[in-house]
Amino acid sequence: MGNIRITKQFNFETGHALYGYDGKCRNVHGHSYKLSVTVIGRPITDTSHVKLGMVIDFGDLKKIVMEEIVDQFDHATVFNKNTPHVDLAKELMDRGHSVILADYQPTSENMVIDFAARIKARLPHNIALHSLRLQETDTSFAEWYAADN
């Protein structure tokens, strides 16, 4: 039996600001992100295995992505911790807001790279991350493919 790709989709709301950017996105704003996670592997062929025929249980993949991405980023605001936005972040945190201070400019491109590393670290050894698609708006998205990296 050959390799099969399976995909699970997730939605979350996240705010961010792009420090130093020359457009509107320098202001704090938010997106309704859609994340598609595709993994690749061989379906289980052991007839005594409870997950016979599955590459990975969708529930197991969901648990990984929820813990690593959605639960952390949903309704949080992401700032680059190496910018003056750190002062705003501290004020928001002091007021009880969920804030993520990232090592990077929180663009979709950089977020999808971060997400790939987080997910890959949690996948079983026989399952590989194939691709991620992080959709920021109806017409804009960033993609990460293992084959490109």
Side-chain angles (χ1 to χ4, degrees), residues 3-58:
N3 283 324
I4 302 294
R5 298 175 196 164
I6 64 164
T7 301
K8 183 118 180 93
Q9 298 177 318
F10 302 87
N11 298 297
F12 56 95
E13 309 292 326
T14 302
H16 70 154
L18 303 179
Y19 181 75
Y21 182 66
D22 63 353
K24 291 181 180 180
C25 292
R26 70 179 174 270
N27 300 308
V28 177
H29 64 288
H31 297 285
S32 295
Y33 286 99
K34 295 177 184 174
L35 176 65
S36 296
V37 178
T38 302
V39 298
I40 188 167
R42 295 185 184 275
I44 296 166
T45 57
D46 178 354
T47 57
S48 66
H49 199 289
V50 297
K51 297 185 181 184
L52 173 65
M54 295 181 183
V55 171
I56 185 174
D57 187 320
F58 281 114

Side-chain angles (χ1 to χ4, degrees), residues 67-147:
E67 290 175 1
E68 293 296 326
I69 312 300
V70 178
D71 291 346
Q72 294 182 42
F73 282 79
D74 190 37
H75 286 82
T77 304
V78 185
F79 296 109
N80 181 336
K81 74 177 184 181
N82 299 310
T83 69
H85 277 140
V86 73
D87 295 330
L88 175 58
K90 287 179 182 171
E91 181 178 338
L92 288 170
M93 287 187 279
D94 288 345
R95 293 175 182 238
H97 291 265
S98 178
V99 174
I100 295 170
L101 293 174
D103 291 328
Y104 53 81
Q105 181 82 310
T107 61
S108 288
E109 296 90 335
N110 285 331
M111 289 171 69
V112 81
I113 291 168
D114 178 23
F115 294 175
R118 291 169 183 246
I119 294 167
K120 284 187 339 182
R122 293 276 308 273
L123 289 173
H125 72 279
N126 59 323
I127 306 298
L129 182 60
H130 176 270
S131 62
L132 295 177
R133 177 178 175 156
L134 183 62
Q135 191 161 343
E136 184 175 283
T137 68
D138 285 341
T139 60
S140 303
F141 57 87
E143 292 181 305
W144 178 96
Y145 281 87

